[in-house]
Amino acid sequence: MTDIPGTLWTLVATPLSYGFMQRALLVAVLTGAVCAVLSCYLVLKGWSLMGDAVSHAVLPGIVLAVVLGLPLAVGAFAAGVFCAVATGYLKDHSRVKEDTVMGIVFSGMFGLGLVLFTKIETDQHLLHVLFGNMLGVTDRDLIETAVVAGLTLAIILARRRDLLLYCFDPRHARAVGLRVEWLHYGLLVLLSLTIVASLKAVGVILVVAMLVAPGATAYLLTRRFERMLMVAAGVAIGSSVLGTLASFHINGATGPCIVLIQAALFALALLRDQLMRRRALA
Amino acid sequence: MSELLVPFAYDYMVKAIWVSALVGGTCAFLSAYLMLKGWSLMGDALGHSIVPGVAGAYLLKLPYAAGAFFAGILAALGMTLVRTHTRLREDAVIGIVFTAFFAAGLLLVSINPASVSIQSIALGNILGISDDDAFQVVIISVVTLAVLLAKWKDLMLLFFDESQARAVGLRTTALKVLFFALLSATTVAALQTVGACLVIAMVVTPGATAYLLTDRFGRLLAVSVAIGVSTSALGAYVSYFLDGATGGVMVVLQTLVFLAAFIFAPRHGLLAGRRKARAAAEVASP
């Protein structure tokens, strides 16, 4: 036991000698990275609840996609956008507050998804859709996730300045001639795509954690946006690697392990922030 | 016809129906207040946060309600602590804390799958509820309802106009603590009927629906409770024919009632709004 580097190496190498663990690690890193980049925008915009809502709302879309023989991504995507549009419509045409409307719409859609699931024969397991099935990821799943995640990342990074301006100050964005409605719905589309990409890894219920924690952590650590993107991605990728390896050793579910490590890193960032501020005051 | 009565021949169905109705009514009572305050996220967060407590309690063979309360209080403290110490937005803080708690609960269940199934925590399992758990649910609901009936006017004043409430000598902080205690108690009960993921519907939708139908708060409470009781009982009943998804059926019913109110409500509905706009247009252009 004195050989610490050797022990560490076995801790890492043993899980990775299995093919399913290699695929799990890859899919976790991909998912973590794309969620982290988007989470920076969601945190700045105050859209954490939106992530929660859209991720639950995709469930009926997934079931219908199975029925119609479409790719799951198409159904999930349509349902996610429907949730956002329906929320906007109901809010504009009634006197109920936005967060209440959102709660009603996404819980209603989630409930509908559950009912559809019991009535329709699918080859999907409900629990896999809800909580992901990281250890059962196939090569095909890996490719699908990589394509969706890569596409989403590319779009976000290409338009990162426009999106940033929109999140910080929509009025200014409009004033300089950006099409604010397009950016609004663009961000929603990216959110739905990200949730689709995360389906295999963490499922629709835990993805909201990955859509909040990295951005919030990075927000505490830096004040420059470009750096915030990188810190968030670093935090998420690190948590994905550590969480996947840890879940192998403690024989627990992978998604929750990753989320808990992200939360722990957030707590550390919070502690550092507090210490810095206290020192600044002293 | 007799086929429709089949569910009532089973003890477990009768139990599920009346327990669901009781829980639905309690949740609906609280939903009137939550909806006014815009605290929907709070209901969702509490519903998820109590999961590790429930998982832990089943593991240690303690009453599930005790564990749930403990976790709920921890989560509330955590949120307060983080919120007072950062410049982060409130929704992000709530999001991080509740998902971390939920993840901890899922991890506990995954390490010890024998004690309780993940499905019954996330999605509820009122059709298979044990007598022991049903007893806890009933006690929680009855106590919550009793307190609410005694204090509903004080809470109303607190939520509509806090400074006025203070001026007439109400202890506002104590009342707020009371409200959150009641809210967590109800989410603990609702966990058994619809599960952690759908608790939010139970504590939001009936109140919002009633809000579209009436302008007086006393009546709003009555309408909300009526919606909660009827959709929950009917949901449990219908789920017999669907072989499950009890929580899903209840929530879908509540959403449908909301949509009906959204369109047809006599004064605040979509059609009423159109009528009003048309009447205004006719007055404007004679």
Side-chain angles (χ1 to χ4, degrees):
Chain A
M1 283 308 285
T2 47
D3 181 16
I4 292 171
T7 321
L8 273 181
W9 174 245
T10 17
L11 280 180
V12 176
T14 318
L16 291 185
S17 60
Y18 297 97
F20 71 92
M21 283 305 291
Q22 296 165 4
R23 285 191 295 271
L25 193 67
L26 275 177
V27 93
V29 165
L30 274 171
T31 308
V34 66
C35 286
V37 170
L38 193 64
S39 78
C40 294
Y41 294 97
L42 297 187
V43 165
L44 288 178
K45 183 105 185 88
W47 264 17
S48 307
L49 183 58
M50 191 65 109
D52 194 26
V54 173
S55 61
H56 284 80
V58 298
L59 190 60
I62 290 171
V63 183
L64 290 179
V66 171
V67 175
L68 300 173
L70 295 168
L72 295 190
V74 174
F77 176 68
V81 173
F82 176 82
C83 169
V85 174
T87 302
Y89 179 81
L90 289 173
K91 187 200 72 170
D92 290 341
H93 291 86
S94 76
R95 56 177 189 160
V96 182
K97 289 196 172 98
E98 179 169 21
D99 69 317
T100 306
V101 173
M102 201 181 279
I104 294 171
V105 172
F106 89 72
S107 59
M109 290 180 73
F110 189 73
L112 180 66
L114 292 178
V115 175
L116 288 176
F117 229 110
T118 56
K119 278 292 97 185
I120 291 166
E121 290 288 318
T122 68
D123 54 346
Q124 301 286 320
H125 290 281
L126 178 59
L127 289 182
H128 289 171
V129 174
L130 295 184
F131 300 107
N133 180 26
M134 194 127 38
L135 302 185
V137 167
T138 61
D139 282 335
R140 214 191 128 180
D141 296 336
L142 191 56
I143 293 170
E144 277 178 22
T145 306
V147 169
V148 181
L151 183 70
T152 317
L153 263 180
I155 299 175
I156 299 177
L157 292 179
R159 312 291 297 183
R160 62 182 184 279
R161 296 193 164 274
D162 294 350
L163 285 171
L164 177 64
L165 186 56
Y166 168 65
C167 288
F168 258 126
D169 191 348
R171 226 176 277 167
H172 187 198
R174 193 189 302 266
V176 298
L178 290 175
R179 293 169 129 182
V180 177
E181 289 75 26
W182 282 94
L183 286 173
H184 179 88
Y185 285 101
L187 201 56
L188 281 174
V189 168
L190 290 171
L191 182 59
S192 308
L193 276 175
T194 308
I195 289 163
V196 170
S198 317
L199 211 56
K200 295 286 181 240
V202 288
V204 298
I205 291 186
L206 272 181
V207 64
V208 55
M210 305 185 84
L211 282 171
V212 180
T217 310
Y219 183 76
L220 291 178
L221 292 177
T222 173
R223 282 178 178 273
R224 295 214 355 237
F225 189 72
E226 303 273 321
R227 208 178 286 163
M228 184 174 158
L229 284 177
M230 282 189 280
V231 173
V235 165
I237 291 172
S239 312
S240 292
V241 173
L242 271 179
T244 313
L245 295 178
S247 77
F248 178 86
H249 291 292
I250 64 169
N251 201 13
T254 317
C257 282
I258 296 175
V259 171
L260 284 174
I261 290 178
Q262 287 188 348
L265 289 177
F266 172 78
L268 284 179
L270 189 63
L271 196 66
R272 175 183 173 274
D273 190 55
Q274 288 302 300
L275 292 176
M276 299 267 283
R277 207 178 295 178
R278 204 155 292 173
R279 201 173 302 157
L281 286 177
Chain B
M1 189 64 209
S2 64
E3 267 175 37
L4 293 178
L5 295 175
V6 169
F8 295 108
Y10 295 97
D11 280 346
Y12 78 95
M13 278 309 299
V14 175
K15 187 170 72 175
I17 290 173
W18 74 261
V19 171
S20 302
L22 185 63
V23 174
T26 317
C27 289
F29 205 128
L30 280 168
S31 75
Y33 295 97
L34 272 190
M35 177 269 316
L36 279 182
K37 266 293 188 192
W39 277 348
S40 315
L41 184 55
M42 218 50 204
D44 196 34
L46 272 173
H48 286 79
S49 302
I50 58 182
V51 169
V54 176
Y58 277 119
L59 201 65
L60 303 170
K61 307 225 168 5
L62 295 170
Y64 95 95
F69 261 127
F70 182 67
I73 290 168
L74 267 188
L77 283 179
M79 286 175 207
T80 324
L81 191 75
V82 177
R83 190 167 48 201
T84 47
H85 285 98
T86 60
R87 54 206 162 89
L88 274 171
R89 283 171 186 262
E90 185 174 13
D91 63 325
V93 171
I94 296 178
I96 290 177
V97 174
F98 92 73
T99 52
F101 270 71
F102 191 57
L106 294 181
L107 186 63
L108 264 181
V109 178
S110 78
I111 293 176
N112 278 289
S115 54
V116 59
S117 88
I118 202 169
Q119 192 151 3
S120 64
I121 284 192
L123 308 176
N125 183 22
I126 190 71
L127 299 188
I129 192 173
S130 69
D131 281 334
D132 205 22
D133 289 349
F135 180 69
Q136 294 175 43
V137 170
V138 171
I139 296 285
I140 291 173
S141 306
V142 170
V143 171
T144 309
L145 272 180
V147 177
L148 280 175
L149 284 174
K151 291 279 184 193
W152 73 271
K153 281 203 163 150
D154 291 353
L155 287 170
M156 176 181 80
L157 187 54
L158 172 73
F159 281 9
F160 271 112
D161 190 346
E162 197 171 331
S163 51
Q164 171 74 10
R166 209 172 293 130
V168 300
L170 290 177
R171 289 189 300 165
T172 50
T173 316
L175 268 180
K176 269 188 211 159
V177 172
L178 176 74
F179 181 79
F180 276 103
L182 293 178
L183 180 63
S184 25
T186 351
T187 40
V188 172
L191 193 72
Q192 290 288 350
T193 57
V194 294
C197 296
L198 286 175
V199 165
I200 180 169
M202 302 284 279
V203 296
V204 170
T205 312
T209 312
Y211 185 55
L212 294 175
L213 294 173
T214 172
D215 287 327
R216 285 177 42 200
F217 195 71
R219 208 176 286 165
L220 193 153
L221 285 176
V223 173
S224 177
V225 171
I227 292 173
V229 168
S230 52
T231 50
S232 303
L234 191 63
Y237 170 78
V238 170
S239 71
Y240 173 83
F241 300 99
L242 292 174
D243 297 327
T246 322
V249 179
M250 289 177 193
V251 173
V252 168
L253 286 175
Q254 292 189 341
T255 315
L256 290 177
V257 176
F258 173 80
L259 287 178
F262 171 75
I263 298 172
F264 299 111
R267 285 181 56 197
H268 303 291
L270 194 63
L271 297 180
R274 291 246 169 97
R275 264 199 309 277
K276 241 178 275 169
R278 206 175 308 137
E282 276 165 18
V283 171
S285 56

